Amino acid sequence: MNASKTALVLIEYQNDFTSPGGSLHDAVKGVMDSTNMLENTKDVLTKAREAGVTIIHSPISFHEGYYEITAHPYGILKGVVDSQSFRKGSWGVEIVDEVKPESGEIVLEGKRGLDAFASTNLDFILRSKGIETIALGGFLTNCCVESTMRSGYEKGFEVITLTDCTATLSEEEQKFACAKNFPMFSKPMTHDQFLDELSGEKMTEIEGRGYSA
């Protein structure tokens, strides 16, 4: 795994999910705690930055009234509307402080649905930067993370899903997605396994330059 050709894509690390008082936090808190996903994400983000991985943040947002989507939403988007989540200008839509974008990192614009590729320029960004591998973390495991994973797989990227950097509405859904769906369209890894892959590539690169002890 070449760090210069790898992107870490962080999906919807926003206060409405991540933080006490967020409109959807209570729904995901149990799995967040069981996977330790926020602390794990902080760790992988810090070390991916140091390794030179491209960092991409993928928030979702809507204007008041949710006029960007159908007037009669159903499924997960109905839940977003009913809970008044991810409204532009609100505290809930902001990316949580623990993983705030740094200067030079990419914040996608235009995400209005589940798949981070669908209504953004993510594909263009990845290809223009020569990215071959994408590592995904975020919310919800079996919704936006899985939708993005499937699209990335079909677009020809090497897709890694960071199982301990994800959370969803129940332990049952979390375990099923990671055990059954992720292996079909990605290479599931813990964040430590992903970092080991990056470190292994770095050591190979150093040794290839004749700097090994």
Side-chain angles (χ1 to χ4, degrees):
M1 188 188 306
N2 187 331
S4 67
K5 296 182 178 181
T6 300
L8 176 63
V9 182
L10 302 179
I11 300 171
E12 296 177 16
Y13 282 82
Q14 295 162 266
N15 286 321
D16 274 336
F17 272 141
T18 58
S19 307
S23 60
L24 298 171
H25 180 64
D26 287 346
V28 298
K29 182 181 184 301
V31 178
M32 282 185 69
D33 290 345
S34 71
T35 62
N36 200 33
M37 66 94 71
L38 196 52
E39 288 300 315
N40 291 338
T41 301
K42 287 168 57 179
D43 184 46
V44 76
L45 177 57
T46 297
K47 292 171 182 174
R49 283 168 170 162
E50 293 170 355
V53 169
T54 295
I55 309 299
I56 300 176
H57 303 265
S58 179
I60 191 171
S61 64
F62 303 92
H63 285 88
E64 290 283 349
Y66 298 90
Y67 58 75
E68 299 96 334
I69 59 176
T70 175
H72 305 286
Y74 63 96
I76 190 68
L77 287 178
K78 185 178 188 302
V80 169
V81 174
D82 288 349
S83 61
Q84 292 290 287
S85 301
F86 308 118
R87 290 171 294 128
K88 286 190 174 184
S90 70
W91 166 82
V93 82
E94 295 174 6
I95 294 175
V96 67
D97 287 342
E98 285 87 340
V99 297
K100 277 285 190 208
E102 293 188 349
S103 177
E105 295 179 354
I106 297 162
V107 180
L108 294 181
E109 299 177 358
K111 188 174 188 296
R112 302 289 184 264
L114 314 185
D115 175 8
F117 284 96
S119 56
T120 74
N121 60 347
L122 176 57
D123 187 59
F124 174 82
I125 290 169
L126 294 174
R127 296 191 190 282
S128 68
K129 289 183 168 294
I131 299 299
E132 297 175 355
T133 301
I134 56 173
L136 308 177
F139 301 89
L140 296 168
T141 310
N142 55 340
C143 185
C144 293
V145 175
E146 184 168 323
S147 293
T148 305
M149 168 195 72
R150 289 171 181 253
S151 283
Y153 180 84
E154 294 207 67
K155 290 177 183 294
F157 294 101
E158 178 185 39
V159 183
I160 293 165
T161 40
L162 302 174
T163 56
D164 61 350
C165 295
T166 61
T168 189
L169 304 176
S170 71
E171 291 289 349
E172 179 183 15
E173 291 168 282
Q174 177 75 16
K175 290 176 181 176
F176 186 89
C178 291
K180 302 298 183 181
N181 293 347
F182 280 12
M184 294 181 68
F185 308 102
S186 74
K187 298 176 180 179
M189 298 183 188
T190 65
H191 81 287
D192 282 332
Q193 289 171 329
F194 170 68
L195 292 171
D196 285 345
E197 293 273 343
L198 282 178
S199 298
E201 172 63 31
K202 197 67 175 177
M203 285 304 301
T204 300
E205 179 183 332
I206 292 172
E207 290 169 1
R209 293 174 180 172
Y211 298 143
S212 59

